[in-house]
Amino acid sequence: KTLFFPMPKRIRRQRPESFSFWDFPALLQFLDSLDVKRSHAPALLRTLASKLVTAGGANADCDTWEALGVIDETLLDLGLPRKACELLTRTKPFSTRLSSAMTSSDQSTCKMVLDLWDGHKVESVIMRHEDRTTICVSSQVGCQMGCTFCATGTLPIVG
């Protein structure tokens, strides 16, 4: 007997309003569009990553660069031209946020829901076993696997 799982409906995602700062090729393209030398990119990334670590990393409750202590003068001190400061208004430190997390009473499983830049949600599950730990990370919104422990498998695929 063959089981048949119907293909979930595919929904098209909209493009983000801003690019991810951590996408190096996109950063280079952005600097090009501002006529800023690409050679500034590594120092820029190091400085912003340093500010992020100082603020508490991904756990920092910061939706803007200013909240992390990065202001126009931060970039100007690196020797970047003033037009590069547009980066601070066109990007955000994070495009994905932890929405919720729930740990089982025996501490063996932790389910996390992540909010994506476009408002969709994905789920990740950490399963701790006696001899190993497994993590299931959703790489897309929706899934065809149908795992009974995972809410993502009940959603249509969004691509």
Side-chain angles (χ1 to χ4, degrees), residues 22-43:
W22 305 107
D23 179 352
F24 194 71
L27 173 61
L28 294 177
Q29 187 176 20
F30 179 73
L31 292 176
D32 289 344
S33 75
L34 296 176
D35 200 28
V36 174
K37 293 179 184 174
R38 288 179 166 215
S39 60
H40 290 298

Side-chain angles (χ1 to χ4, degrees), residues 31 36 40 43-44 75-85 87:
L31 292 176
V36 174
H40 290 298
L44 185 58
L75 302 187
L76 297 174
D77 289 347
L78 287 174
L80 273 83
R82 182 157 296 282
K83 57 188 166 186
C85 296
L87 175 84

Side-chain angles (χ1 to χ4, degrees), residues 21-156:
F21 175 79
W22 305 107
D23 179 352
F24 194 71
L27 173 61
L28 294 177
Q29 187 176 20
F30 179 73
L31 292 176
D32 289 344
S33 75
L34 296 176
D35 200 28
V36 174
K37 293 179 184 174
R38 288 179 166 215
S39 60
H40 290 298
L44 185 58
L45 280 174
R46 278 194 302 276
T47 299
L48 296 179
S50 172
K51 290 284 189 179
L52 183 61
V53 169
T54 303
N59 295 324
D61 189 21
C62 301
D63 286 333
T64 65
W65 288 111
E66 186 177 8
L68 286 170
V70 180
I71 56 176
D72 290 355
E73 285 72 27
T74 308
L75 302 187
L76 297 174
D77 289 347
L78 287 174
L80 273 83
R82 182 157 296 282
K83 57 188 166 186
C85 296
E86 188 177 328
L87 175 84
L88 301 178
T89 58
R90 297 251 324 257
T91 66
K92 294 181 178 184
F94 303 106
S95 58
T96 302
R97 292 284 214 197
L98 178 64
S99 174
S100 64
M102 183 177 68
T103 303
S104 63
S105 59
D106 65 357
Q107 305 290 307
S108 66
T109 304
C110 179
K111 289 186 177 185
M112 297 166 286
V113 177
L114 304 169
D115 291 327
L116 303 179
W117 56 265
D118 60 0
H120 287 96
K121 298 178 184 302
V122 294
E123 182 180 56
S124 290
V125 181
I126 300 172
M127 297 163 279
R128 295 173 190 86
H129 306 280
E130 199 170 294
D131 59 338
R132 70 186 185 286
T133 298
T134 305
I135 184 167
C136 176
V137 179
S138 296
S139 60
Q140 61 190 21
V141 177
C143 180
Q144 297 177 14
M145 293 303 292
C147 299
T148 57
F149 60 84
C150 182
T152 303
T154 66
L155 301 172

Side-chain angles (χ1 to χ4, degrees), residues 14-20 117-118:
Q14 295 181 6
R15 292 263 180 228
E17 294 173 12
S18 64
F19 69 94
S20 171
W117 56 265
D118 60 0

